[in-house]
Amino acid sequence: MSKKAPSESQLNTTEVDDLLVLCEEVMRATPEGAIRFIEPAPGVLARAKSKQHNIVFGRRGSGKSSLLRKTAADLTIDRRPIAFVDLETFKGHTYPDVLISVLIKTLGEFEQWLNGAAINPATKTSFWKRLFGTAPKRPPFHKANTAALKSNLRVIIADLEAQLRAPETSTKQTKITVANELATSGQFSAAATVPGLSSSATANIASKSNGTKEEQASYVSHKVEYLHQNILRFQHFFKELSILSDGPSFLILDDLYHIRKADQAKVIDYFHRVAKGNGMWLKVGTIKHRSQWYEHSDPPIGMKLGDDAREIDLDMSLEKFETLKKFLKQVLDNLIAEKPPLSIKELINPTAIDRITIASGGVTRDFVGIFSGSIAVARNRGPEHHRGPKIGLEDVNLAAGDYDSNKREEFKLDSAEDREVLEAAFTKLVSFCTETSKCNVFLVSQKLTGRVRESIDQLIDLRMIHPVKSRVTLKKGAAGELFEAYMLDLSQYTAARKVHDFHMVDLSGHDKDEAIRRSSLIYSGT
């Protein structure tokens, strides 16, 4: 442990160096990070582990992957077959190859699980204690039966890999020799087209002097048709897995929004059909307004919320500020506790914690990232600065401004084909807040529809604006009309605060609800 003089700030200790490294590590969800999981609301983890299909919604960094990693860890300790598939791997893949690729990865993950967690005895502490911190109570699976199921699984995976390598359309020929001699010759042809499959067949029959007939058949084979034809095969595997494990299995598909939006419902639909009635439950993590998990078509495609799956929403808004701050402070407390003798009291002023909470918009990863940046800002100015030896408000403001580059980069990655439209919409919104209304909070009518509404929804998911209050009425005018309040991300107006008459609503203050009931804050996007 490093020594420091009584007047020296904890910010300059080697323990803070270690804390910064830890903060960088926890900003990405990993299997090892499951031990640090903090439940954002009571019952969330229990729902994620339940025997029902779930779609977990949340902005980048809100804790979707952490929840799903913790779910996977807890189910593994209970010896429940589990596969965790990160769909970012398949970004840019097109259908049906994307589905075949995800199937291969899924079955490969189940194979790995069967090789380890299924058969490792509870006494093998090098496996259980190292990865999960505890040992299972259920006994290992029957080895011979497990080996037989794994053998079948390898055949299925090899077949899928062959399909993935094959071209989308292939021509095959079959020759049949018949002993009967024909006195005539002729030709027959037929063609048929069905949804998802085009096929044609030709047959040539000719008389042979040696009394044989040669028949040739050619047809078009599609990967989509292969998937249709083999769904019973995949269902049978999961039924057998359920019997072997004496219970359900779970498939976690994380970050659905990374695959093409046009393909998302198709991928979900296929796994939903495989799972139905076969002891497998789907847990899908994604960003709400960047995803399409269900299509109203004939027949419907995907999973419909309420009927087929239940929603788990991890987005914590600034509306419940004290609850949000308590949760985020607990996250910070736990990280600091890993690096004694550091203490939150010696590192940061209470008002600065409020400001980081506001700057994060309720996103856990952004909270940790801005906290790390605030340490760097405070260190650079030194403990003798008039702001004192701890992280203060202005340190957070500057760190939030610096953090904007991270958000902008992820904005580009996640907005994809909508980037130009969303950038234009955001520029217009920033101009309204900083030049027209001169306030960090703006109002949107609950009746608003169309492109402006869609852009606002997507900008929320991209963490450039943040929900503040779901129901607002004006002090004067617009009788009976309801509005929603949003805050422009702090990084966009740290400089604007110095502009004359710019009003920054303090969302930690008791008068915030009254401060936003002004008609001048209404944004229509026109």
Side-chain angles (χ1 to χ4, degrees), residues 129-435:
K129 296 289 185 180
R130 178 175 58 85
L131 294 177
F132 307 103
T134 187
K137 295 180 180 179
R138 296 181 73 215
F141 293 1
H142 189 280
K143 283 193 174 182
N145 293 345
T146 302
L149 187 61
K150 285 193 297 182
S151 178
N152 292 336
L153 182 56
R154 279 308 317 162
V155 174
I156 295 174
I157 293 173
D159 196 10
L160 281 166
E161 289 172 339
Q163 284 295 323
L164 184 62
R165 290 191 297 268
E168 169 61 13
T169 301
S170 61
T171 301
K172 299 182 181 180
Q173 291 185 332
T174 302
K175 290 185 178 181
I176 301 175
T177 301
V178 181
N180 295 334
E181 181 177 353
L182 296 179
T184 60
S185 66
Q187 187 174 41
F188 169 77
S189 65
T193 302
V194 295
L197 172 66
S198 298
S199 64
S200 63
T202 62
N204 295 307
I205 304 173
S207 59
K208 300 286 184 178
S209 59
N210 59 2
T212 63
K213 176 184 70 176
E214 182 178 294
E215 182 178 290
Q216 291 183 329
S218 64
Y219 58 92
V220 178
S221 174
H222 283 271
K223 295 180 180 182
V224 171
E225 192 62 16
Y226 167 85
L227 291 166
H228 289 330
Q229 292 171 350
N230 282 269
I231 193 166
L232 293 178
R233 187 184 187 189
F234 303 137
Q235 287 178 335
H236 179 72
F237 165 75
F238 285 105
K239 177 67 75 175
E240 291 296 308
L241 182 60
S242 178
I243 293 171
L244 175 67
S245 64
D246 191 27
S249 59
F250 296 82
L251 170 58
I252 294 174
L253 299 175
D254 195 21
D255 288 346
L256 175 69
Y257 67 94
H258 276 303
I259 65 175
R260 295 196 326 164
K261 198 170 185 178
D263 299 333
Q264 292 170 7
K266 295 175 186 176
V267 171
I268 295 301
D269 182 78
Y270 194 83
F271 281 105
H272 182 229
R273 286 187 286 144
V274 169
K276 192 171 184 179
N278 295 295
M280 183 172 76
W281 300 100
L282 302 179
K283 310 292 177 177
V284 181
T286 195
I287 296 175
K288 194 165 196 174
H289 296 103
R290 305 295 307 163
S291 307
Q292 186 171 10
W293 54 91
Y294 181 76
E295 291 181 13
H296 296 275
S297 56
D298 187 16
I301 299 173
M303 291 197 306
K304 186 177 182 181
L305 288 175
D307 293 344
D308 303 317
R310 296 290 182 268
E311 174 181 352
I312 298 177
D313 191 351
L314 293 187
D315 278 330
M316 301 178 69
S317 78
L318 295 165
E319 185 165 4
K320 298 179 180 178
F321 183 81
E322 290 302 322
T323 301
L324 174 62
K325 185 176 79 169
K326 181 179 179 181
F327 168 72
L328 294 175
K329 186 174 179 294
Q330 185 181 356
V331 171
L332 192 55
D333 277 333
N334 288 5
L335 292 176
I336 291 174
E338 292 189 36
K339 303 298 176 184
L342 298 180
S343 71
I344 197 167
K345 183 179 179 181
E346 293 295 323
L347 281 175
I348 183 168
N349 292 321
T351 53
I353 294 178
D354 289 351
R355 185 57 55 86
I356 298 178
T357 301
I358 293 170
S360 72
V363 177
T364 306
R365 191 179 68 191
D366 292 345
F367 179 87
V368 175
I370 295 171
F371 168 72
S372 296
S374 300
I375 290 177
V377 172
R379 276 181 155 184
N380 287 338
R381 63 170 169 78
E384 304 303 323
H385 192 276
H386 68 83
R387 292 203 294 267
K390 303 178 186 179
I391 297 170
L393 281 177
E394 193 58 32
D395 299 319
V396 176
N397 289 336
L398 294 172
D402 293 339
Y403 195 74
D404 178 57
S405 60
N406 295 56
K407 289 191 175 183
R408 291 284 183 170
E409 187 62 32
E410 291 177 348
F411 182 104
K412 292 178 181 178
L413 291 172
D414 293 343
S415 56
E417 66 274 7
D418 301 325
R419 184 189 308 166
E420 290 185 4
V421 173
L422 291 174
E423 284 179 341
F426 186 57
T427 299
K428 193 172 186 178
L429 181 55
V430 171
S431 176
F432 172 80
C433 291
T434 58
E435 298 174 16

Side-chain angles (χ1 to χ4, degrees), residues 22 25-26 28 30-39 66 70 330-331 334-335 338-339:
L22 178 61
E25 292 174 351
V26 301
R28 285 291 178 186
T30 62
E32 297 77 18
I35 59 173
R36 294 192 180 93
F37 176 77
I38 300 174
E39 197 168 24
S66 295
K70 176 61 174 174
Q330 185 181 356
V331 171
N334 288 5
L335 292 176
E338 292 189 36
K339 303 298 176 184

Side-chain angles (χ1 to χ4, degrees), residues 31-58:
E32 297 77 18
I35 59 173
R36 294 192 180 93
F37 176 77
I38 300 174
E39 197 168 24
V44 168
L45 182 58
R47 291 175 63 199
K49 295 189 293 185
S50 66
K51 290 185 284 186
Q52 62 181 5
H53 302 309
N54 292 114
I55 301 181
V56 182
F57 294 115

